[in-house]
Amino acid sequence: MIYAQSPLAVGLFITFVLFVLGLSFFLARRTTSSADYYAAGGQIHWFVNGIAFAGDYLSAASFLGICGMIATAGYDGFLYSIGYLAGWVVALFLVAEPMKRLGKFTFADALDSKFNSKGIQLTAAISTLLVSVFYLIPQMVGAGVLVQPLLGMPHYVGVLIVGIVVTIIVATAGMASTTYVQFMKGGMLLVFSTVLVVGVLGRGLSTSPDQGGKKAYHEFKTLAAQTGTDGSLQLSDSTYAVAADWKTGDLGKAGFVRLTKGGVDSVWKLKETGGGYALSETLFAKEFPNGTKLYNGLPKEQGAFFPVGAVKELRIDGKEVAQTGPLGPIGFLSSVKNSTVTLWGKTIVKESDGLTTVYFQKPTSGAKILRPGLKFKVDNATGTQKFNFMSLMLALFCGTAALPHILIRYYTVPSQAAARKSTIVAIAAIGFFYVLTLFMGLGAMTNGVINLNDENMSAPLLALSFGVVLFSIISSLAFATVLGTVSGLIVAASGAVAHDLMDNFLGMKMTDRNKVLAGKVAAIVVGCIAIYLGIIFEGMNVSFLVGWAFAVAASANLPAIMMILFWKKTTAQGVATSIVVGMVSAMGLILLSPDMWALYGKLPANAPISFNSPALVSVPLSFLSLVVVSLLTRKAAVPVAVEAA
Amino acid sequence: MGHGPAVKLGEDKASGYKAKLGMYLFVLYTLAYVVFVGISVLQPSLMESAFMGQTLAVAYGMGLIIFAFVLAIIYNRFCSRAEQRLNN
């Protein structure tokens, strides 16, 4: 086991949950009108709202996913940080103040403010629901993933805990309680991530990271070998036995060899040298047809699947050293750049008795780690690979300012200036956090803490290397991260159902009190759906679903917002069409993509399209459809100016 | 219909100025972002070259994050001045 359950983490999480539930019940007494429920009365201070933006936005994908990706793939993980932050520029310069000026409770309000169109009300509500649900699923799955190693409970318990707590938070005081939960979570995330980074810099870099003297790093062995006259493999260490079919077996064909010592299997990577072979030790997990799994030839509890991540050659001022001592942030990055770090490649080998996943060492220069290209193919890339990269960066840039749970936060402040200022606080807080992700990720990469079976746990495991207290705080924060983001999404989704569909689209006449009740019932229903989806999507790669949410939001929502604000010839039909075209094209392209083909159990090469990221097609298509339909329907359109309520 | 802001907003005579300024700054930042993506795709090896002791990729990436904050501060300053000048 790489990590064990921490009672302190459980205690901190329960304390946090009890506190936010108490706060929610307290705020519920002040939540009497629909403006209170959906927009926290529009009276939240811009600084609180700005940090709450950070709490809303820094989801499990940001905290766990980006740190984990940087830890295993270097700079390519940091590309997400850059892209996500860049999206806030779109939000500040183009969207913040107009959203505050035009809307009331939901994203659909702002789109429909000039038109009073049933088409916009329906399509915008569906788009909000779709994006919110796609964003909810990975958060709920993430909750289940977290609860298993940290609390020792099954996946569905984590999903249930988060689902029930969040539904209570939202159903009691709506946006008011949600805002303060996010404010606390956002603030704590910034503080303790800073503490973690200070620890990483204080520890510096070492070729034998021992977690501050607590745990020695496993030294991965290398063996020499020759081929005998009978074709057998003769090792320099005769205590190992070699399988007879070492060259012709499934592992041999993939470039590996299985050795046995003391009845325990190990897998080694074969590399031809002048007249012989060099064998380097790997980590491997074997899954048998009956579901049994062995890690490095032993059950998981034996702890043979070592944590990894170390500098191989450390150079300071051109000289090779064993450790650096404390470093400043710039010195830390320079030292990584000038050194060589052992990264890990992954190969899955199908054998007759099961599936073997082999992780092998890949010494990589720091300069290569600190530039794009280890995860996303950019060197000597094909046109499709370049297209994929650009499309991803476009989706990150455009997606943020189109996420419904982010947009509705503009309604919680009292003025347009407050909307602007809260966005600037968000940029400062989120930008600062994303800078920290590079240090946390590289810290995990070089401190011998990575669990190659689950890179998402890199940040909590890095914290564990500094002691159980920091680990417990970071782990409970990871839960709080899910709580904060899910609560924002449920408010957005309940607003789409109760306010956009029931009140506006269907024209159901409700008193203000009943509007609040409808919102609360909608929140409970959405919460139940989220719990259900979180359970049935167990094991689904969460990054797929986050990618869906960003791509759909960027394609369906952003063109509509931008054109309403900046093109006077925009018509209601054009807006509704662009939302539908953006939604359908983004979803359709994702469903036909090679990555999805692999999920269907088919060959990715046989997928109808060759790219995975749809934004570079679906965003322009959505813009184009809005322009064409608006021009075609221009004469018939009679915009209705609606005064502020 | 339930549209319009949740709270009463006064007339903002600076909104046109702010929208125009926002658009200029958006274009400026977008250009910097497009060049970053362009280098990564067209000349990825350039991102490995040293710049102020770091790789160009780190310097540019950090620069984009800091640039966003700097532009945000500039934007707020000009917007606040315009609001004081035109709305009071």
Side-chain angles (χ1 to χ4, degrees):
Chain A
M1 286 289 283
I2 285 178
Y3 35 77
Q5 287 78 51
S6 160
L8 188 57
V10 180
L12 283 172
F13 178 65
I14 291 172
T15 306
F16 183 81
V17 166
L18 290 176
F19 180 73
V20 297
L21 286 178
L23 183 71
S24 300
F25 286 116
F26 170 73
L27 292 170
R29 287 184 294 178
R30 299 197 311 204
T31 306
T32 52
S33 67
S34 53
D36 291 333
Y37 183 78
Y38 292 112
Q43 295 302 328
I44 299 290
H45 188 273
W46 54 266
F47 182 79
V48 173
N49 204 52
I51 299 296
F53 261 132
D56 230 341
Y57 193 66
L58 297 176
S59 67
S62 287
F63 181 47
L64 301 175
I66 290 179
C67 290
M69 199 184 290
I70 293 173
T72 53
Y75 192 86
D76 283 355
F78 190 55
L79 283 172
Y80 280 88
S81 296
I82 294 165
Y84 283 143
L85 194 273
W88 280 92
V89 169
V90 184
L92 173 66
F93 295 146
L94 302 182
V95 175
E97 293 198 40
M99 276 297 292
K100 176 65 193 167
R101 189 170 66 243
L102 296 175
K104 186 175 184 183
F105 297 148
T106 64
F107 159 69
D109 283 344
L111 289 190
D112 197 33
S113 61
K114 289 182 184 171
F115 301 108
N116 190 13
S117 155
K118 293 288 180 193
I120 292 178
Q121 290 160 14
L122 180 64
T123 52
I126 291 172
S127 162
T128 300
L129 273 174
L130 196 70
V131 174
S132 299
V133 168
F134 278 132
Y135 220 116
L136 269 172
I137 298 170
Q139 303 301 325
M140 300 301 277
V141 172
V145 169
L146 275 169
V147 83
Q148 288 179 80
L150 297 178
L151 306 184
M153 295 173 183
H155 176 93
Y156 75 91
V157 176
V159 175
L160 273 173
I161 291 172
V162 169
I164 291 169
V165 171
V166 168
T167 304
I168 293 171
I169 291 169
V170 176
T172 47
M175 200 58 166
S177 51
T178 300
T179 297
Y180 286 105
V181 169
Q182 286 158 344
F183 173 71
M184 285 187 293
K185 168 225 153 174
M188 289 199 303
L189 193 59
L190 288 173
V191 170
F192 288 102
S193 297
T194 306
V195 170
L196 189 54
V197 169
V198 168
V200 167
L201 297 177
R203 185 181 277 172
L205 295 165
S206 163
T207 51
S208 300
D210 60 0
Q211 305 192 4
K214 288 195 285 288
K215 191 174 182 181
Y217 188 67
H218 176 74
E219 292 295 335
F220 287 87
K221 292 180 193 159
T222 305
L223 298 175
Q226 300 282 338
T227 320
T229 50
D230 59 351
S232 65
L233 191 65
Q234 295 172 343
L235 300 168
S236 56
D237 184 342
S238 58
T239 58
Y240 287 95
V242 189
D245 65 342
W246 68 275
K247 207 165 189 178
T248 55
D250 296 313
L251 272 177
K253 286 177 190 165
F256 301 97
V257 60
R258 174 177 283 110
L259 306 182
T260 309
K261 183 179 183 180
V264 179
D265 283 351
S266 55
V267 173
W268 301 68
K269 185 164 175 59
L270 273 174
K271 187 183 174 189
E272 283 195 49
T273 56
Y277 291 99
L279 278 66
S280 55
E281 188 182 356
T282 71
L283 292 172
F284 69 101
K286 176 132 190 178
E287 185 172 4
F288 295 93
N290 64 3
T292 309
K293 276 188 181 174
L294 291 179
Y295 295 86
N296 269 13
L298 293 167
K300 193 175 187 179
E301 295 72 27
Q302 301 273 336
F305 198 83
F306 309 104
V308 299
V311 179
K312 188 177 173 66
E313 293 163 4
L314 186 56
R315 284 183 211 93
I316 301 293
D317 299 329
K319 291 178 188 165
E320 205 162 310
V321 296
Q323 57 187 30
T324 61
L327 291 165
I330 293 172
F332 180 84
L333 293 174
S334 312
S335 301
V336 172
K337 172 180 145 308
N338 297 328
S339 302
T340 301
V341 180
T342 302
L343 299 183
W344 291 78
K346 177 181 172 183
T347 299
I348 298 174
V349 182
K350 199 171 183 180
E351 297 184 276
S352 56
D353 60 344
L355 212 60
T356 303
T357 307
V358 186
Y359 302 93
F360 56 92
Q361 300 176 60
K362 267 185 15 182
T364 309
S365 81
K368 283 219 176 331
I369 288 169
L370 293 176
R371 56 153 281 199
L374 289 182
K375 184 175 180 68
F376 304 115
K377 175 88 174 153
V378 288
D379 292 284
N380 306 314
T382 63
T384 303
Q385 286 164 335
K386 288 179 181 176
F387 179 92
N388 255 330
F389 182 84
M390 290 189 291
S391 198
L392 172 71
M393 295 308 284
L394 178 69
L396 299 181
F397 189 59
C398 296
T400 300
L403 292 172
H405 70 294
I406 296 297
L407 293 174
I408 58 171
R409 188 149 288 292
Y410 285 118
Y411 304 137
T412 61
V413 288
S415 67
Q416 293 166 72
R420 181 178 73 242
K421 287 175 184 171
S422 64
T423 314
I424 293 167
V425 171
I427 288 177
I430 295 167
F432 178 64
F433 177 81
Y434 281 146
V435 169
L436 297 181
T437 59
L438 186 60
F439 294 95
M440 287 191 281
L442 292 175
M445 179 191 276
T446 54
N447 273 280
V449 299
I450 301 171
N451 173 12
L452 289 172
N453 267 326
D454 186 3
E455 66 181 35
N456 288 329
M457 288 300 291
S458 297
L461 289 173
L462 177 64
L464 181 60
S465 76
F466 288 95
V468 74
V469 174
L470 191 56
F471 170 68
S472 302
I473 293 170
I474 293 285
S475 302
S476 56
L477 259 178
F479 277 106
T481 296
V482 177
L483 281 185
T485 306
V486 171
S487 56
L489 288 163
I490 290 186
V491 171
S494 76
V497 173
H499 180 69
D500 296 338
L501 288 178
M502 293 170 67
D503 191 8
N504 289 344
F505 179 69
L506 296 173
M508 293 169 70
K509 300 292 175 199
M510 291 186 282
T511 62
D512 201 53
R513 187 185 171 85
N514 284 343
K515 285 180 186 175
V516 176
L517 185 65
K520 290 182 176 186
V521 172
I524 293 168
V525 172
V526 173
C528 292
I529 293 170
I531 290 171
Y532 174 71
L533 293 174
I535 291 171
I536 64 164
F537 275 89
E538 179 185 1
M540 181 92 177
N541 184 328
V542 297
S543 63
F544 267 125
L545 299 163
V546 172
W548 280 13
F550 258 79
V552 175
S555 310
N557 299 347
L558 193 72
I561 299 169
M562 297 268 285
M563 296 304 268
I564 281 177
L565 296 177
F566 298 105
W567 194 47
K568 289 178 181 169
K569 292 178 181 173
T570 302
T571 65
Q573 293 91 331
V575 171
T577 306
S578 83
I579 293 172
V580 172
V581 168
M583 260 192 302
V584 172
S585 60
M587 288 288 301
L589 290 171
I590 289 168
L591 292 173
L592 297 175
S593 67
D595 276 355
M596 287 306 296
W597 235 242
L599 268 187
Y600 303 147
K602 298 178 178 178
L603 277 177
N606 292 341
I609 59 172
S610 57
F611 54 92
N612 288 306
S613 190
L616 207 49
V617 173
S618 52
V619 171
L621 204 59
S622 180
F623 270 112
L624 187 67
S625 64
L626 186 147
V627 171
V628 170
V629 174
S630 290
L631 290 175
L632 289 174
T633 56
R634 177 82 189 134
K635 285 178 184 172
V638 185
V640 177
V642 178
E643 291 302 319
Chain B
M1 284 296 303
H3 298 315
V7 289
K8 286 277 183 191
L9 298 175
E11 187 190 2
D12 184 10
K13 292 173 184 165
S15 63
Y17 169 84
K18 291 188 287 186
K20 194 178 279 184
L21 177 64
M23 183 55 90
Y24 287 139
L25 295 179
F26 167 74
V27 170
L28 185 63
Y29 191 85
T30 303
L31 279 175
Y33 188 77
V34 166
V35 170
F36 173 79
V37 175
I39 295 174
S40 299
V41 171
L42 301 173
Q43 282 288 332
S45 57
L46 194 60
M47 283 297 199
E48 199 177 324
S49 56
F51 183 81
M52 294 173 72
Q54 306 297 330
T55 59
L56 178 62
V58 167
Y60 205 145
M62 290 288 187
L64 276 175
I65 292 176
I66 294 166
F67 190 42
F69 181 65
V70 170
L71 287 186
I73 295 291
I74 292 170
Y75 177 65
N76 184 55
R77 184 140 182 107
F78 278 93
C79 288
S80 298
R81 280 186 183 174
E83 283 166 347
Q84 280 178 353
R85 194 174 63 243
L86 298 171
N87 290 339
N88 292 332

